[in-house]
Amino acid sequence: MYNLKDRMTQLKIFFQLIFLLTFNPLFGQSVQTYKNPVIQGFFPDPSIVRVGDDYYCVNSTFEYFPAIVISHSRDLVHWQQIGHVFSKSEDLDLTHFWDGMGIWAPDISYHNGEFYIFYCLVQLKKDRSYNVRGNYMVKSKSIMGGWSKPVQLTDYGNDPSHFVDTDGQHYMLFAAGIPQGNGTRIVKLNNDCTKIIEGPFWMETEGKKAAPEGPHLLKKDGYYYLTMAASGGLFNGHHMLLARSKSVYGPFENSPNNPYLTQKNPDAENFHQGHGKIFSTQNGEWFTMVLSQRRLKGEIKGKPMGISPLGRETSLIRLAWDDKGWVIPQYGNPPMDEDVVPNLPTTPLSNPLSDDFSMPNLGIQWVFRRNPLFENFSLTEKKGHLRLYSSDFDIDTTLGRNLIVQREQSHIFMATTKLTFKPDTKEQAGLTGYYDTKTYVRLGLQRNEKGKYILVLEQCQYGQKSVLRTIENIKNKPIYLQMKVNQLHRAFYFSYDNKNWIEVGTLADASFLSDQGTPNWGFMGMMTGVYAFNRGTGKRIAADFDWFNIEK
């Protein structure tokens, strides 16, 4: 409960911000603002680097491929996906990684004309009976690649980051990883960043090994500032901590402002801020980009809680330095959902959502679940169509890889596709809202035991599959499938002409389609897209998707 002094301080900050957001005191003009998140949808664990006037951000991609998405901006508010670090299967094999495993928390840096990406690979069971981790590095002279072959630097730990000191020495920080230790470790690297030459050492803060996630170093005014994400729980406890030292190895003193960034406002739009990296613009403004969650009111197994269908997104938080040399959010804690735009030229950018499949390659928005089976899809066999051959296994197993999806980015949208598919029996192709193998909903076309075409609406909730509705007597002709999403409400439809729609079924409460609803690790976010599986028949039958359309 707030005391009176805290409340008065908050009110003062609030009214100062209202004034700032309403009027520019120098020119009497309205001030432009932005709203968080600035990168919407499943874009967690952001790391950012500035090169001249350009900013580049990388995010975790877990088991999805291509891996480690790269986004570009010139104003920190508008971001465009421009590529991936890994787009060739021979460079990264994700086929054996479980849901929510794979690539965690990559870090991007730039030094002497080269980009560096440090990342970790993790395979972890919830009871930690299986716990395999390792930190890796790749580099390139161009942000578009090609990237060097991965170099493994450790066989334990996670969340690595790269720091280059003013004397040119290279270091890697990383979280030690349970059960090795809840702390941050640091090693010195050779000039190529291919080998550890000193360490590891614990980075202690006041005698405590206390930096469980996302550590980064910044050198400013003679101090080494260690910023870290403190995990107090998967969904509710993330916040940012800060410590500093005159030595790169410490010991570090904690900031009196800790946690220097935390969301405690129950009426906020964005929660769970963490994994922040402090940086300055070319104009001397200070920011951090952090993961955050937009939450809807819902219930999981009868327990009320905030529901995050879109997963962990990326937000931009304005920072300042107090008179004692500690960083704080410019307008005080809690961090703002809306803020004044950076003093940078506004540069609008956009990312594709819809796709008419007329190009020889898939749009950059599309990803595969694990490495794709390239022989099972084509954009050239039937011009203007995405052809998916029904592959082995199904959507509910990690072995089923014939799934092409993109990130859901809005709580309200409509996805529509046109499908031509002539299965022999129970082979199925269709449209899905997908989280992982135990958490999804799908509308698929197949035949029943009598050989008749049917549509099947199925959900997998907490790992339990159930058929919600079956529509019989479907015509043997191209069919349109549609999913309408309105927050935690999902409705499915079909049509033969893209004009007259027939409702198949509705999920009145789709809270389980979220970070909080999966029985697996809730690290990702909802995806939507298309699939084709033979479901055990072994038959390879073409499913042709004419186009895929997203309307927000």
Side-chain angles (χ1 to χ4, degrees):
M1 190 170 184
Y2 298 123
N3 59 38
L4 181 60
K5 183 179 178 181
D6 290 337
R7 188 60 177 162
M8 292 301 293
T9 300
Q10 286 187 340
L11 287 172
K12 181 180 178 181
I13 292 170
F14 173 77
F15 285 116
Q16 287 175 340
L17 182 60
I18 290 297
F19 177 80
L20 182 60
L21 295 179
T22 306
F23 298 103
N24 183 321
L26 295 178
F27 305 104
Q29 299 176 349
S30 296
V31 173
Q32 285 187 309
T33 64
Y34 69 91
K35 292 194 70 174
N36 280 317
V38 292
I39 308 181
Q40 300 177 345
F42 160 41
F43 288 92
D45 309 327
S47 175
I48 187 171
V49 68
R50 177 175 66 87
V51 181
D53 294 333
D54 295 288
Y55 295 85
Y56 302 99
C57 180
V58 293
N59 296 89
S60 296
T61 46
F62 300 93
E63 75 265 27
Y64 284 99
F65 194 91
I68 309 185
V69 61
I70 305 170
S71 301
H72 168 252
S73 177
R74 293 179 69 89
D75 61 14
L76 294 176
V77 174
H78 302 92
W79 289 86
Q80 185 176 61
Q81 297 175 53
I82 60 171
H84 295 84
V85 174
F86 294 106
S87 56
K88 296 179 180 179
S89 287
E90 58 265 31
D91 292 335
L92 181 68
D93 183 4
L94 295 170
T95 56
H96 66 287
F97 283 92
W98 304 317
D99 294 335
M101 298 295 103
I103 288 188
W104 287 15
D107 175 61
I108 185 170
S109 56
Y110 183 81
H111 179 68
N112 280 351
E114 282 192 299
F115 290 93
Y116 293 79
I117 303 286
F118 284 68
Y119 66 95
C120 58
L121 283 172
V122 180
Q123 184 79 310
L124 175 69
K125 288 187 176 180
K126 280 196 168 183
D127 63 3
R128 290 174 172 79
S129 60
Y130 192 93
N131 186 359
V132 176
R133 308 170 186 232
N135 292 310
Y136 299 77
M137 183 279 301
V138 295
K139 56 186 175 180
S140 171
K141 292 187 180 298
S142 168
I143 192 65
M144 302 306 294
W147 296 89
S148 63
K149 294 294 182 182
V151 173
Q152 183 171 0
L153 294 167
T154 71
D155 59 2
Y156 71 100
N158 54 274
D159 296 12
S161 68
H162 182 211
F163 171 69
V164 185
D165 207 342
T166 49
D167 61 2
Q169 293 292 328
H170 294 259
Y171 298 86
M172 180 179 72
L173 291 72
F174 59 97
I178 297 172
Q180 285 87 346
N182 289 326
T184 295
R185 308 202 82 172
I186 184 170
V187 295
K188 182 184 285 189
L189 304 174
N190 63 2
N191 289 336
D192 292 330
C193 293
T194 57
K195 185 182 297 184
I196 294 172
I197 59 174
E198 190 173 283
F201 303 107
W202 286 107
M203 301 182 73
E204 295 194 1
T205 59
E206 297 181 353
K208 300 176 182 178
K209 300 180 181 73
E213 295 183 10
H216 292 279
L217 267 184
L218 164 75
K219 194 172 186 180
K220 181 179 183 293
D221 300 331
Y223 281 103
Y224 296 89
Y225 286 90
L226 170 63
T227 183
M228 55 204 109
S231 179
L234 185 58
F235 304 116
N236 297 312
H238 249 25
H239 52 271
M240 295 301 299
L241 302 175
L242 189 70
R244 71 183 180 189
S245 174
K246 288 288 187 178
S247 168
V248 70
Y249 292 138
F252 287 79
E253 61 171 323
N254 286 328
S255 169
N257 304 313
N258 280 341
Y260 80 86
L261 192 153
T262 182
Q263 184 61 268
K264 299 296 184 183
N265 177 8
D267 297 321
E269 294 181 33
N270 296 277
F271 295 87
H272 197 57
Q273 284 90 343
H275 277 261
K277 182 178 181 180
I278 298 170
F279 66 95
S280 65
T281 69
Q282 59 268 44
N283 297 319
E285 295 178 292
W286 288 88
F287 293 90
T288 184
M289 291 184 73
V290 294
L291 65 81
S292 61
Q293 288 179 322
R294 284 183 284 171
R295 295 176 179 172
L296 303 171
K297 291 182 179 180
E299 291 186 357
I300 297 295
K301 297 183 177 180
K303 182 180 179 180
M305 64 176 64
I307 305 298
S308 308
L310 303 180
R312 300 177 301 163
E313 307 174 278
T314 291
S315 288
L316 177 70
I317 308 295
R318 182 181 288 272
L319 300 176
W321 295 85
D322 68 16
D323 56 4
K324 295 183 179 179
W326 293 107
V327 73
I328 53 175
Q330 184 157 351
Y331 304 116
N333 260 322
M336 305 301 298
D337 291 322
E338 184 172 359
D339 211 332
V340 179
V341 298
N343 180 24
L344 297 168
T346 300
T347 310
L349 298 168
S350 62
N351 293 289
L353 295 173
S354 302
D355 200 333
D356 63 5
F357 303 126
S358 61
M359 302 301 290
N361 298 303
L362 284 169
I364 197 169
Q365 71 270 34
W366 296 107
V367 291
F368 298 87
R369 185 179 62 171
R370 301 173 180 83
N371 300 70
L373 297 166
F374 288 102
E375 66 273 18
N376 280 345
F377 83 95
S378 173
L379 287 161
T380 58
E381 286 188 16
K382 187 175 182 180
K383 189 174 181 180
H385 290 73
L386 168 63
R387 170 163 287 182
L388 276 178
Y389 285 99
S390 57
S391 70
D392 293 337
F393 308 105
D394 202 353
I395 200 171
D396 61 347
T397 169
T398 58
L399 297 174
R401 291 151 59 188
N402 230 34
L403 180 73
I404 301 179
V405 292
Q406 60 175 283
R407 296 160 176 87
E408 295 187 1
Q409 298 182 22
S410 173
H411 285 134
I412 301 174
F413 73 95
M414 181 170 66
T416 310
T417 190
K418 181 182 179 183
L419 168 66
T420 301
F421 183 50
K422 296 183 178 181
D424 285 346
T425 58
K426 65 178 182 179
E427 302 85 19
Q428 191 182 101
L431 171 69
T432 182
Y434 180 84
Y435 193 98
D436 59 26
T437 57
K438 295 184 178 180
T439 311
Y440 60 82
V441 61
R442 66 176 176 183
L443 178 60
L445 178 67
Q446 66 174 77
R447 290 184 193 254
N448 62 15
E449 61 278 4
K450 298 179 181 179
K452 301 294 186 180
Y453 285 99
I454 60 173
L455 281 173
V456 180
L457 180 62
E458 180 187 53
Q459 71 174 20
C460 188
Q461 182 176 9
Y462 314 130
Q464 300 298 314
K465 293 184 291 183
S466 60
V467 173
L468 302 178
R469 190 180 179 191
T470 299
I471 304 291
E472 298 184 347
N473 300 317
I474 296 297
K475 298 176 183 178
N476 180 11
K477 60 186 300 186
I479 192 169
Y480 299 84
L481 306 177
Q482 187 175 88
M483 177 177 67
K484 290 184 179 180
V485 178
N486 188 347
Q487 298 189 353
L488 298 179
H489 181 279
R490 290 182 184 244
F492 288 83
Y493 303 83
F494 78 96
S495 172
Y496 295 113
D497 58 8
N498 201 23
K499 296 178 181 178
N500 300 292
W501 292 91
I502 301 169
E503 183 173 348
V504 179
T506 296
L507 280 69
D509 180 8
S511 294
F512 70 96
L513 297 173
S514 65
D515 286 355
Q516 294 77 10
T518 176
N520 293 320
W521 295 104
F523 292 152
M524 296 175 292
M526 282 298 293
M527 315 287 274
T528 187
V530 297
Y531 66 93
F533 291 102
N534 62 43
R535 306 170 72 213
T537 68
K539 295 186 177 181
R540 190 171 182 268
I541 301 172
D544 293 319
F545 296 90
D546 194 345
W547 45 260
F548 189 93
N549 189 54
I550 294 280
E551 295 180 45
K552 287 190 176 181

